[in-house]
Amino acid sequence: MLTNTAAIRQIETPLSLALQQLDEARAISQVLGESLTTCNVDYRTREKWDDAASIVTHLTRSLTGIHASVSDIHDAVLDLPRQRGKS
């Protein structure tokens, strides 16, 4: 039978990973904002727009990782009743 402590441990790892990825996404978003500000000031420089596009790609990957972690948390929570019933 799954105890409350074991249930918490079951979701603790994906939750911790999701929080770490969220911090990373925040940092990437801040860099993106700074990059877009630079693009706005010097809008004719193609290289700056390429940099911004690259940052968006990194942000997309980070958000995809967050989605996967949240999905893992969701699956673990849905599995808790079944796990609790095991002897």
Side-chain angles (χ1 to χ4, degrees):
M1 188 169 206
L2 190 66
T3 65
N4 286 341
T5 302
I8 290 170
R9 284 191 187 129
Q10 197 168 3
I11 63 170
E12 190 173 41
T13 300
L15 180 59
S16 177
L17 181 58
L19 291 173
Q20 178 184 1
Q21 291 166 327
L22 184 58
D23 286 341
E24 178 183 318
R26 281 186 193 132
I28 293 169
S29 295
Q30 183 175 358
V31 171
L32 176 60
E34 293 166 3
S35 178
L36 290 174
T37 299
T38 301
C39 289
N40 192 34
V41 169
D42 189 6
Y43 62 90
R44 290 171 284 187
T45 304
R46 171 79 181 171
E47 181 181 303
K48 293 185 189 306
W49 285 104
D50 289 344
D51 289 346
S54 177
I55 294 167
V56 168
T57 300
H58 289 294
L59 182 59
T60 301
R61 286 185 191 134
S62 181
L63 293 173
T64 300
I66 292 169
H67 180 266
S69 294
V70 170
S71 181
D72 290 346
I73 294 165
H74 179 258
D75 292 346
V77 169
L78 289 178
D79 196 42
L80 288 176
R82 187 182 64 78
Q83 293 291 327
R84 288 184 146 257
K86 285 185 177 179
S87 300

